[in-house]
Each structure stands twice: as structure tokens, then as C-alpha cells.
Amino acid sequence: MNPHIQNGIAVTGALGNLGWKLLCHLAEHSAAPRLVGLDLRDAEPGRLEQLQTISEIHTDPPQIDLITCDLSDWQDQRWRTAINEVSAVVHFAAKNPFPEATWDDATVSIDMTNNLSQAATDSPTLSRFVFATSNHVMGRYKDANLNPGELHTDLEAGVGTLWHTGQKDMDSTVYAVAKFAGERQCKVLSEKSDTSFVCVRIGWWQPGENRPATISAAGTPTQQSDPDPTLEQTNRWFREMWLSNRDFLHLFERSLLADTSTWPQKYIVVNGMSNNANMAWDLSHTRQCLKYAPQDNVYA
């Protein structure tokens, strides 16, 4: 069995949009013997039963646990115990997972990432840490008129996207600062531990069906956008960072399983979008390091 999952996988923010869909996918497809969902909220009735039903496809179904805990509290032994028992963690949890997050939201999110990543390096069993960072870390490149494939991960960070939805001005800088700080924390910890870190700058992955037709200059499912031809550049920016459901699940599965032998170091930052035609985002590093093979195209 792959060493990064041999003791199990923990997913933070497990009851949210990203976490729940990945947890359901892992319940059906992963060979990990244990899956742990960590969330600040109590699981609604039936959630655990749903996962267990999905997992019955396996001859030897995994043990599945949903644990209510506070990742911002270092003394909370509920999540600390789990991290000391699994081989990998995928970290989605944030105080506010949307780009209009406040400084209070960002402060708590930074605390959660710092706590979790430090605990991961202290864990006797954990060897892979996957952090869901954000395209908004490079948002200042939105109006740079880049050619296809020019937005690669070794460019200087451009933290925070500035845009107009057609109804209001938006600025994701505060939200993006928390993500960028998490990336840097992962880099520092990778240099003084045996844990490998994958930071995935995910594109726009909407709740539910996640159809290309519903992506617009709104930039986030919490906002609305007017059909305004002057917003075409903003529409294109957000459309071309689309990450389909299928490609999202494949991307994070590869982030868990990938061998570090092709990596330049134990810490990598990769772009996480679908195979969208003519997009500025470069996927060559993602393909090389993770063996990521996206199948969907926002224009198809």
C-alpha cells in the first residue's frame, strides 16, 4: 500500500463543499484503511451512514470517523489524536472559505493551518500534508494580459484579486494572505521534517454540479454578476480557472499518492485547474510532480 495512506487519511473541513465531496470519493475509491473527517460543526444525522454505505463497495471497508473539533485550539486533543494516527491529511478548513473573508476570519484560518501543519510534522505516523491554497494568491495577475501557460508557480506572488462583479467591487487580499501564509508555513516545516507538503492553488470549484455555465465575473458563489459586456475580461479570468468535479477529485487523489522522487524538494506548490483552453495558468509542474491528467475543458 502507498505509504502516504497506509494508516489512513484525515480531511479537514470535512462537512464543507470541498471536504465532503473528497471524503465521499475516498470512501468509494481509496485503499486507505481509515478515513477521518474533522470539522468544527457537528455532523448532521445520516452523514456517517452515507459514507459507510458508499464504502461498502470495498471488500474490506475502511473505518470512518467524523470528529467535531476546533483546529484553532492547539489543546484540542480530538483532532490532535487523529493526526497522530493517520498517514496523510488534506487541509480545506477555513474560518471563511470565500474571498470576502475579514481579518478576523483570516486570523483564525492562519491559526488553524499553523496548528495542523505543526502537528503533522510532530506526528509519528503522518508523512503527507496536502494544503488547499488558492488561485487568489496570484490574483494580481488578473489584468496582466498573460499568454497561455505563463502563470506558473515560480512567479513572484501577486496576493489578492481585485475585480468588479457588475454590482460591487471585490478585493480578496485578506483571504489570500491567509492562504499565502499557509504556503510559507508548509515550506518552512518541510525543511526541518520528513513530512512532504503539497500546496494546491485550486481554481474555481463551485458547490453542487459545478457547471461552466454558472461561472461569471461574480468570482464566488456568494455574489451575483450582471450580464455586462464590459466584464468580459473578468468573466474570462474566472472561467479559465475552472476546476471540474472530476478533475478536482483526481487532483487531490494524486496529491495524496504522488511519489516525491520527481520533486525538486519535499515541498511543492502547484496550480489546480482543469485543462482549460488558452488559460494563463500553467499545469506543467502539476502534471510532472503529481502525474495529474485533467480531462475537462471549460470551453468544451
Side-chain angles (χ1 to χ4, degrees):
M1 180 180 292
N2 187 293
H4 300 313
I5 64 170
Q6 64 183 1
N7 295 309
I9 303 166
V11 177
T12 76
L15 302 181
N17 174 37
L18 300 173
W20 184 250
K21 287 190 176 179
L22 181 62
L23 201 56
C24 288
H25 175 78
L26 294 174
E28 183 173 358
H29 298 285
S30 176
R34 185 184 181 201
L35 299 174
V36 181
L38 303 172
D39 204 287
L40 183 62
R41 297 172 290 168
D42 291 328
E44 300 92 334
R47 285 264 198 166
L48 182 58
E49 289 78 6
Q50 180 182 346
L51 288 173
Q52 290 172 336
T53 298
I54 292 171
S55 73
E56 289 174 359
I57 188 174
H58 295 291
T59 304
D60 186 14
Q63 174 187 337
I64 302 176
D65 301 298
L66 296 179
I67 299 173
T68 304
C69 58
D70 183 356
L71 295 173
S72 68
D73 180 3
W74 178 258
Q75 304 302 328
D76 189 337
Q77 293 301 316
R78 295 172 295 182
W79 70 265
R80 292 279 301 280
T81 298
I83 296 305
N84 284 331
E85 296 173 345
V86 297
S87 296
V89 60
V90 181
H91 179 38
F92 294 120
K95 174 71 181 300
N96 183 345
F98 300 112
E100 56 267 39
T102 66
W103 279 113
D104 178 66
D105 296 329
T107 299
V108 177
S109 294
I110 290 171
D111 289 348
M112 288 194 288
T113 303
N114 287 350
N115 282 347
L116 193 71
S117 57
Q118 182 61 60
T121 62
D122 294 341
S123 169
T125 58
L126 199 144
S127 62
R128 174 62 51 84
F129 188 96
V130 182
F131 176 46
T133 178
S134 173
N135 62 84
H136 287 279
V137 168
M138 302 299 279
R140 296 299 168 106
Y141 288 93
K142 181 178 81 70
D143 300 317
N145 296 315
L146 297 174
N147 293 318
E150 285 189 338
L151 189 45
H152 40 83
T153 55
D154 57 359
L155 286 175
E156 180 181 0
V159 179
T161 314
L162 305 175
W163 78 100
H164 195 276
T165 68
Q167 298 184 4
K168 63 183 294 186
D169 288 318
M170 297 289 292
D171 181 350
S172 71
T173 302
V174 174
Y175 168 80
V177 163
K179 294 297 189 180
F180 185 58
E183 291 182 10
R184 304 313 296 173
Q185 167 80 350
C186 290
K187 183 179 188 302
V188 168
L189 291 175
S190 74
E191 294 172 351
K192 63 175 192 175
S193 75
D194 294 327
T195 307
S196 54
F197 290 82
V198 183
C199 294
V200 185
R201 290 176 177 166
I202 56 175
W204 192 358
W205 196 69
Q206 306 165 104
E209 294 183 28
N210 186 24
R211 296 181 295 110
T214 54
I215 295 178
S216 70
T220 168
T222 63
Q223 302 295 322
Q224 299 295 319
S225 177
D226 291 330
D228 184 341
T230 66
L231 300 176
E232 179 53 35
Q233 183 177 357
T234 302
N235 272 309
R236 181 175 178 180
W237 173 257
F238 286 115
R239 284 181 62 78
E240 291 181 357
M241 68 172 66
W242 180 58
L243 178 60
S244 72
N245 287 354
R246 171 168 56 177
D247 289 338
F248 162 78
L249 296 170
H250 168 59
L251 174 60
F252 277 83
E253 186 174 76
R254 292 308 311 153
S255 296
L256 285 165
L257 299 176
D259 186 347
T260 59
S261 62
T262 61
W263 299 7
Q265 52 192 344
K266 296 196 305 295
Y267 161 83
I268 57 170
V269 179
V270 297
N271 289 327
M273 292 79 193
S274 284
N275 192 33
N276 303 317
N278 300 316
M279 67 178 175
W281 303 91
D282 171 47
L283 293 180
S284 61
H285 192 51
T286 322
R287 296 176 190 272
Q288 177 185 355
C289 292
L290 301 182
K291 301 298 185 287
Y292 175 51
Q295 300 183 56
D296 295 314
N297 174 3
V298 71
Y299 294 118

